[in-house]
Amino acid sequence: MGDPRKIKSKYAGPGHPWQRARLEEERALVREYGLTTKRELWKINSKLKTFANQAKRLIALRTTQAELETKQLLDRVSRLGLLKSGAKLDDVLALTLKDFLNRRLQTLVLKKGLARTPLQSRQFIVHEHVMIGPKKITAPSYIVPIEEETQIAFVANSSLASPEHPERAIKSKPKAVIAKETAGRKSFGRGQRRPQQRQGKPAGKPEAKGEQK
């Protein structure tokens, strides 16, 4: 028995710390889903491997207990919204990190239009502005079941419950930026011919006084 005071890690990090392809993929996912650290990705990857290992083990078995566990696994995956009902064990093996990331509360709050950015969605959840049904959820990584997805809303007494709140309103572009973009559209593009100048005297030089026309 191990030391009861030492909490065992519930996830595993990458086997090699310096793999360029993996680092670039993780960096893109962290930016896209508004994660704070890569540790969140590693936790989700550990859950993904747990489901995959369980599916591999059940595929090789033909017992009554295996059929029961297969049904329980598929029901759980379907309940979490990772797969549709009627899926098979092969579909469990095809799950990816994005399938889990798309079911996180942080992502669903953004998709519902309750926040403008992933980071803002995370802030609303951590600051106890978001609830699912009667319960406040303060964990952005919470995997939302299908039956709870329609119950995501702001807390009733939260100031963010009003659509007119400045943090929820869609900010329009400043007038200076709009004017600059409009001027850029009107400017001559590459390959377009500019109007020819009048022949004779250079344009812009005024005629001298007393000079005959």
Side-chain angles (χ1 to χ4, degrees), residues 162-174:
S162 172
E164 304 298 330
H165 194 280
E167 289 297 328
R168 293 186 59 187
I170 299 176
K171 296 182 179 179
S172 59
K173 294 182 179 179

Side-chain angles (χ1 to χ4, degrees), residues 146-167:
I146 286 290
E147 59 183 10
E148 296 181 0
E149 185 173 351
T150 57
Q151 303 176 20
I152 299 176
F154 283 116
V155 177
N157 59 356
S158 171
S159 58
L160 294 170
S162 172
E164 304 298 330
H165 194 280
E167 289 297 328

Side-chain angles (χ1 to χ4, degrees), residues 22-34 41:
R22 178 185 56 78
L23 290 174
E24 292 178 352
E25 181 182 359
E26 289 179 347
R27 189 181 301 111
L29 290 174
V30 167
R31 189 185 307 111
E32 179 181 357
Y33 290 93
L41 280 179

